[in-house]
Amino acid sequence: EDMMAAHGGTVIPHTVDIRDAEAVEAMIGTIWQAGPLDGLVNNAAGNFVARTEDLSSRAFDAIANTVLHGTFYCTNACGKRWIAEGRAASILNILVTWVWTGSPYVVPFAMSKAGVAVMTKSLAVEWGPYGIRVNAIAPSAVVTEGTLQFFGDKWDRAAGVIRDRQSLKRTLETEDLAGTVIYLASDASKFHTGDSVVIDGGYSIF
């Protein structure tokens, strides 16, 4: 409602369990009836901190089914429709820098996001001839309600460590991502594909 009041247009929310391929198909089919999408942002996430040797198969699946499988289901449901209709489009996947460095105690999440990173490059090549661009951004920890819930009372300490290791000496805000997201999702980047842009204030190269 806030976005429509400020900018016009129409915002239509949909609720779906992206772990369910059939449910994703049904949702995308409903969206297509109202009008095809021009872009898709895959921001699925689910994570918890645990020693890897303590993980059950169900714990691993809980993360992988959301982050990896769910991202693929949404991407493929849109991609096959764009290809069938000859429609150009943009896909933007949200990664983490752990796909390059790895990270202890979050192995299922890091593995799943690494799979999404490989999908980004693979589909950029496979779907490029159809005019479908596929890119990704990899932010460091962003200050959101989810981040604060994830870290709990350890956030202040974690944020201090992050700030100390970032050359810009502050934590990442959601507004810091907006420009890059808009660029990669729009025709301003119509020759940009298969890339993963790191947005971490210099953390990964510090």
Side-chain angles (χ1 to χ4, degrees):
E1 291 174 350
D2 290 343
M3 291 177 67
M4 287 189 287
H7 306 291
T10 304
V11 178
I12 305 173
H14 296 267
T15 302
V16 67
D17 182 350
I18 63 170
R19 299 170 297 181
D20 185 334
E22 292 183 359
V24 170
E25 274 291 327
M27 179 193 69
I28 298 299
T30 299
I31 291 173
W32 239 256
Q33 291 174 6
L37 297 176
D38 295 310
L40 171 68
V41 178
N42 285 310
N43 192 32
N47 199 8
F48 50 79
V49 176
R51 297 188 305 178
T52 304
E53 64 268 29
D54 294 336
L55 291 173
S56 67
S57 59
R58 292 183 64 184
F60 183 90
D61 289 346
I63 302 302
N65 287 342
T66 298
V67 179
L68 181 60
H69 296 190
T71 296
F72 175 78
Y73 296 153
C74 293
T75 300
N76 206 38
C78 291
K80 65 186 181 183
R81 287 171 170 83
W82 287 325
I83 291 169
E85 298 173 3
R87 181 180 294 273
S90 171
I91 299 170
L92 179 60
N93 300 316
I94 311 301
L95 305 177
V96 289
T97 54
W98 298 335
V99 305
W100 297 285
T101 65
S103 182
Y105 310 115
V106 289
V107 168
F109 183 69
M111 286 178 64
S112 297
K113 284 294 188 180
V116 175
V118 171
M119 186 189 75
T120 299
K121 294 182 180 297
S122 300
L123 290 183
V125 175
E126 185 175 343
W127 289 356
Y130 301 111
I132 300 171
R133 298 183 299 105
V134 190
N135 291 291
I137 63 171
S140 55
V142 189
V143 182
T144 65
E145 291 181 10
T147 305
L148 297 177
Q149 182 179 1
F150 179 77
F151 283 97
D153 58 6
K154 296 180 177 63
W155 169 247
D156 288 342
R157 179 168 175 251
V161 172
I162 293 169
R163 283 193 297 270
D164 288 344
R165 294 190 62 176
Q166 288 182 162
S167 58
L168 297 182
K169 300 304 177 188
R170 64 179 179 84
T171 50
L172 180 65
E173 304 286 343
T174 52
E175 292 79 6
D176 297 323
L177 303 175
T180 306
V181 170
I182 291 169
Y183 164 72
L184 289 173
S186 72
D187 285 343
S189 61
K190 60 185 179 181
F191 207 65
H192 195 157
T193 194
D195 191 21
S196 297
V197 180
V198 176
I199 307 176
D200 68 352
Y203 183 92
S204 58
I205 59 173
F206 187 82

